[in-house]
């Protein structure tokens, strides 16, 4: 792919889906990243998304080559600079706030640039298809709704009136205002560079509603393990930054009523997702959100925080029943958990407690 023999491989990341190597490309030629995907359904799915997402050249490392038969992607080495996660667990609140806005701007820029490239992305997915539906084509919101009802039944919480209908509405709205996202838009996948942010990890790349990405700003990082609270004013600034980029291509998003309705929808989607996934895993006991980061936030801390946010955000409006359910779960289950409230990120708490969350570029174990 490179026209050169690479050597001196160093493992810089691994997960259940892939192994990432930094390799020397020879004297004076610098280095490249070689990412090999595992030969199982998740590995094959992730290969398709990464290869297709990077092939558009809109964001992320430059794609240098793809070997579809071997499920290998070779890409530019963007270096080992500070990540947004590093900034959030550091002691510089200005750097953390600036990093959040730069991250939101880059995600919004990617979303806006991707709109005329949808057909090309679909062709690339077909070109790199490994026989497993890429995650964006799966009915995950519908499946979460079914699992959500089953979980409520398992913990003996009666579904309030209208909940089943609202879960159906979640699915019906999932394709509004679609745009490309890397998928795993988490702070350890955003490197802070002098001229902005470089996004890495496109294993979950696909087109989804922009509101699902915007929710990463308002109630931070719903699919990530590096989770603490962000001050409301700081989160709102990041959300405005992202919104400005996507509203340039979807003018309706400049209307407050449209935007807030979409954000309530996204809050409900991610609350159902978190509950369906985590509640069965924490009924018997707690544990760190990330198994290799024992000093980070616990599963119960994060799940209780999601319920608190959902109850407040969804009260009295559309998806009222989802918010009501979150409140019931909070009082019947969450308030009995002997865990402290989810803390602020150290950058905003006045102390660089880096041991609170280890912000490496490790892949989420979710």
């Amino acid at each position: 792919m490179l026209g050169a023999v690479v050597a001196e491989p160093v493992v810089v990341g691994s997960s259940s889906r892939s192994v990432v190597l930094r390799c020397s490309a020879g004297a004076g030629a610098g280095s490249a990243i070689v990412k090999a995907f595992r030969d199982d359904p998740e590995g094959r799915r992730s290969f398709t998304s990464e290869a297709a997402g990077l092939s558009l050249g809109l964001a992320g490392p430059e794609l240098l080559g793809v070997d579809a038969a071997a499920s290998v992607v070779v890409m530019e080495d963007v270096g080992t600079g500070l990540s947004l996660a590093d900034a959030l667990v550091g002691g510089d609140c200005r750097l953390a706030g600036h990093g959040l806005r730069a991250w939101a701007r880059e995600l919004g820029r990617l979303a806006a640039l991707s709109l005329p490239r949808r057909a090309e992305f679909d062709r690339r997915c077909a070109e790199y298809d490994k026989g497993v539906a890429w995650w964006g084509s799966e009915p995950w919101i519908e499946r979460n709704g079914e699992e959500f009802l089953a979980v409520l039944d398992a913990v003996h919480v009666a579904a309030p009136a209208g909940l089943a209908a609202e879960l159906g509405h979640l699915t019906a709205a999932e394709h509004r205002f679609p745009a490309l996202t890397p998928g795993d838009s988490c702070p350890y996948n955003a490197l802070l560079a002098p001229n902005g942010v470089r996004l890495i990890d496109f294993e979950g790349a696909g087109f989804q509603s922009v509101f699902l990405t915007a929710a990463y700003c308002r109630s931070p990082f719903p699919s990530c393990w590096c989770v603490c609270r962000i001050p409301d004013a700081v989160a709102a600034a990041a959300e405005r930054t992202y919104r400005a980029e996507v509203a340039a291509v979807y003018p309706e998003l400049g209307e407050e009523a449209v935007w807030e309705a979409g954000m309530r929808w996204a809050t409900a989607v991610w609350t159902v997702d978190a509950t369906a996934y985590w509640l069965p895993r924490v009924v018997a006991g707690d544990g760190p959100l990330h198994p290799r980061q024992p000093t980070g936030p616990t599963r119960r801390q994060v799940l209780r925080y999601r319920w608190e946010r959902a109850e407040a955000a969804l009260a009295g409006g559309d998806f009222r029943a989802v918010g009501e359910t979150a409140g019931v779960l909070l009082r019947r289950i969450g308030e009995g958990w002997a865990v402290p409230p989810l803390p602020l990120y150290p950058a905003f708490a006045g102390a660089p407690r880096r041991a609170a969350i280890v912000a490496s570029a490790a892949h989420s174990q979710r």
Side-chain angles (χ1 to χ4, degrees):
M1 299 179 192
L2 299 175
V5 176
V6 296
E8 302 173 1
V10 176
V11 176
V12 294
S14 66
S15 73
S16 60
R17 301 174 296 276
S18 63
V19 176
V20 186
L21 306 175
R22 172 174 287 112
C23 299
S24 170
S31 59
I33 296 297
V34 178
K35 192 168 187 178
F37 292 84
R38 301 184 190 278
D39 188 23
D40 58 27
E42 286 305 307
R44 294 193 291 270
R45 183 203 314 275
S46 298
F47 164 78
T48 300
S49 291
E50 182 107 46
L54 292 181
S55 70
L56 299 186
L58 300 178
E62 178 186 357
L63 183 64
L64 302 177
V66 177
D67 185 334
S71 296
V72 171
V73 175
V74 180
M75 66 190 80
E76 169 195 10
D77 183 359
V78 297
T80 58
L82 200 71
S83 73
L84 175 57
D86 291 319
L88 290 170
V89 301
D92 188 338
C93 65
R94 289 177 180 267
L95 176 63
H98 174 78
L100 280 166
R101 293 190 298 276
W103 162 81
R105 184 176 297 108
E106 183 65 5
L107 287 172
R109 188 190 72 86
L110 168 61
L113 290 173
S114 72
L115 261 61
R117 309 284 294 277
R118 176 69 183 267
E120 181 182 352
F121 177 79
D122 290 342
R123 287 195 301 272
R124 295 291 189 175
C125 284
E127 178 183 353
Y128 299 127
D129 177 56
K130 304 288 287 186
V132 181
W134 58 284
W135 76 271
S137 65
E138 285 199 332
W140 64 280
I141 295 177
E142 179 181 0
R143 185 172 60 243
N144 279 343
E146 295 169 354
E147 293 176 359
F148 185 69
L149 292 174
V151 167
L152 294 182
D153 186 60
V155 297
H156 309 293
V157 169
L163 180 61
E166 288 185 5
L167 295 176
H169 295 157
L170 292 181
T171 302
E174 67 178 302
H175 299 299
R176 295 191 69 206
F177 306 108
L180 185 64
T181 170
D184 195 7
S185 302
C186 298
Y188 40 80
N189 289 329
L191 300 183
L192 306 183
N195 58 344
V197 160
R198 299 297 302 274
L199 302 174
I200 59 174
D201 193 347
F202 278 62
E203 291 185 9
F207 279 74
Q208 67 177 22
S209 171
V210 298
F211 294 119
L212 292 176
T213 303
Y216 277 65
C217 303
R218 183 174 292 195
S219 184
F221 316 128
S223 68
C224 311
W225 60 263
C226 182
V227 180
C228 285
R229 290 186 296 111
I230 296 174
D232 288 343
V234 177
E239 183 180 325
R240 286 194 300 270
T241 301
Y242 178 80
R243 181 182 179 183
E245 297 290 335
V246 295
V249 291
Y250 283 127
E252 305 101 301
L253 298 181
E255 300 176 20
E256 198 66 17
V258 173
W259 184 260
E260 287 304 321
M263 292 303 290
R264 288 192 296 274
W265 171 82
T267 297
V269 168
W270 286 123
T271 302
V272 169
D273 178 81
T275 305
Y277 185 84
W278 285 117
L279 185 53
R281 292 164 170 79
V282 301
V283 168
D286 202 6
L289 197 64
H290 191 299
R292 295 203 299 267
Q293 308 299 341
T295 58
T298 73
R299 299 169 180 181
R300 286 182 172 181
Q301 278 181 294
V302 174
L303 187 53
R304 191 171 67 180
Y305 170 74
R306 301 292 181 211
W307 291 339
E308 291 168 347
R309 299 284 292 188
E311 183 183 31
L314 303 178
D318 40 0
F319 305 110
R320 172 200 58 78
V322 175
E324 181 181 333
T325 304
V328 172
L329 290 168
L330 177 64
R331 280 177 284 282
R332 289 195 187 177
I333 299 175
E335 290 182 355
W337 290 337
V339 294
L342 190 70
L344 286 167
Y345 278 105
F348 305 116
R353 295 183 296 107
R354 296 183 65 85
I357 306 171
V358 179
S360 67
H363 291 274
S364 169
Q365 296 301 297
R366 172 83 184 258

